[in-house]
Amino acid sequence: MLKQYETVFIMTPVLSEEQMKEAVNKYRDLLKSLGADVVHEEKWGLKKLAYPIQKKSTGFYHLFEYVVEGSQIREFEIATKRDEKMLRFLTVSLDKHAIAYNEKKRAQKKEKATEAAS
């Protein structure tokens, strides 16, 4: 059964901008190879962590929102767990209220961008 998921991951801050882009592309390609439809993606950039992880106080944050078969999530999470560049990740299943909230948030952001441009 197709469900909508959201994954936020934190990559190590020792990566260069180019390496970070390669890692994000790798995970986007992995999702697509698993049959996922990437609905939305956001780069949050370098942010301070609430507490040190592996002696690091900052990390690169990135969000993927996608639709995929539930059985494919395990394979995606195994790939992220094996990646030593990954500090943390969290995948959540979105219910209809979360999906509506995310769509509304994106619409408002898009509306503000068009108002600022005009």
Side-chain angles (χ1 to χ4, degrees):
M1 183 174 143
L2 288 176
K3 287 187 80 174
Q4 193 155 337
Y5 295 90
E6 185 177 90
T7 299
V8 175
F9 59 82
I10 308 170
M11 304 287 285
T12 182
V14 298
L15 298 174
S16 69
E17 190 69 29
E18 188 63 33
Q19 290 171 318
M20 180 63 191
K21 285 179 184 173
E22 286 176 17
V24 168
N25 287 339
K26 174 184 147 190
Y27 285 108
R28 185 182 310 111
D29 292 344
L30 176 62
L31 282 170
K32 287 181 181 176
S33 72
L34 295 172
D37 179 26
V38 178
V39 176
H40 182 68
E41 175 175 350
E42 268 184 48
K43 176 184 168 189
W44 294 354
L46 187 67
K47 293 191 174 274
K48 186 174 185 211
L49 303 175
Y51 55 88
I53 301 172
Q54 297 174 7
K55 298 182 181 178
K56 307 221 175 10
S57 59
T58 59
F60 287 106
Y61 283 69
H62 199 87
L63 173 138
F64 280 113
E65 191 176 326
Y66 51 94
V67 178
V68 70
E69 287 282 334
S71 59
Q72 301 298 325
I73 292 298
R74 181 167 166 73
E75 195 169 328
F76 179 71
E77 288 189 339
I78 288 171
T80 55
K81 283 179 187 173
R82 288 182 178 162
D83 191 347
E84 59 188 33
K85 296 179 225 162
M86 187 74 66
L87 294 178
R88 290 282 193 276
F89 71 93
L90 179 66
T91 300
V92 293
S93 171
L94 300 176
D95 63 7
K96 65 180 180 182
H97 303 293
I99 294 168
Y101 175 79
N102 285 351
E103 287 173 354
K104 184 178 174 185
K105 190 172 68 174
R106 284 194 295 268
Q108 287 175 343
K109 193 182 254 185
K110 194 174 187 178
E111 191 175 297
K112 283 183 183 177
T114 54
E115 285 178 8
S118 59

